[in-house]
Amino acid sequence: MSSDSAPAVQEPDFAPARPGLLALFLAFARMSLAGFGGVLVFARRAIVEQHRWMTADEFNETFALCHFLPGPNIVNLSMVFGSRLRGIAGGIAAFAGLLLPPTLIMTVLAIAYARFGDLDVLRRSLAGISCAAVGLLIAVVFRMMTPLLKRTDPLALILMAGVFLAIGVLRLPLPAVLLVAIPLSIGATFFLRRKVAA
């Protein structure tokens, strides 16, 4: 058989290189140092867009899992993400990169705030920073919604709207909403995939 007749092998669109432990530590350290108003915005940008270690859907799925684990979501994400790529050592490296730099900075700032916290100019500055933090959070929420909207999966959109209404509008307790939403979403997804496979 000639080489002309051999079928061309197409390279996958998404072929991330597995980062080393130092690369994980440094990437999460950069995220935490840039993460004014929350690290989620910078974590998504670094993991999905810059390093291409995950697709947008994989990031959303991993972050959704981290929502249901106890503790801060971004800390959970660092552990789950690092462990997924490099095992327990990777989880520890990502976790250390995420927490070590801001812990050192916040220790110094806490000492300074204890001394100068009564200044009016400092209070006004913190109010302005909080507005920027809310803007960053809204931006990342819309970016994370994009894959769901592109797929036009009506079930996912209905569940998302239902959880938003239950928590954001009706002010129902989060644990109660999750106890209903998690089994409902898993059951509906399982039923639909089984129906498609049949």
Side-chain angles (χ1 to χ4, degrees):
M1 183 188 265
S2 68
S3 61
D4 294 340
S5 61
V9 177
Q10 291 192 353
E11 291 293 321
D13 291 336
F14 183 79
R18 279 172 34 111
L21 296 178
L22 182 60
L24 278 172
F25 176 85
L26 292 175
F28 275 87
R30 278 193 294 270
M31 291 175 208
S32 67
L33 290 173
F36 294 97
V39 179
L40 179 60
V41 179
F42 302 94
R44 187 190 183 281
R45 182 179 300 150
I47 291 170
V48 175
E49 298 168 15
Q50 183 182 352
H51 297 293
R52 296 176 55 83
W53 288 333
M54 280 182 162
T55 64
D57 284 333
E58 287 172 335
F59 183 87
N60 286 354
E61 289 163 8
T62 305
F63 190 69
L65 168 68
C66 294
H67 257 77
F68 302 119
L69 298 174
N73 297 330
I74 195 64
V75 174
N76 295 341
L77 178 70
S78 71
M79 287 295 294
V80 171
F81 176 75
S83 299
R84 180 177 172 178
L85 294 184
R86 286 288 173 182
I88 293 174
I92 293 170
F95 175 79
L98 182 72
L99 291 185
L100 187 61
T103 300
L104 296 174
I105 292 169
M106 284 308 300
T107 302
V108 173
L109 289 178
I111 294 168
Y113 187 75
R115 188 167 178 184
F116 304 110
D118 293 333
L119 296 177
D120 193 45
V121 67
L122 182 61
R123 288 183 179 169
R124 280 191 239 148
S125 299
L126 292 175
I129 291 171
S130 65
C131 293
V134 171
L136 285 169
L137 182 61
I138 291 170
V140 81
V141 165
F142 279 111
R143 283 198 158 193
M144 289 180 70
M145 280 175 48
T146 303
L148 288 174
L149 297 174
K150 282 184 179 175
R151 271 192 306 225
T152 59
D153 182 357
L155 178 64
L157 296 174
I158 290 169
L159 285 170
M160 182 177 64
V163 169
F164 173 77
L165 286 172
I167 296 171
V169 178
L170 300 176
R171 307 254 183 214
L172 297 176
L174 178 63
V177 173
L178 294 181
L179 282 174
V180 174
I182 292 171
L184 185 64
S185 62
I186 291 172
T189 303
F190 177 77
F191 174 75
L192 288 176
R193 286 190 179 172
R194 201 168 159 195
K195 190 175 176 183
V196 169

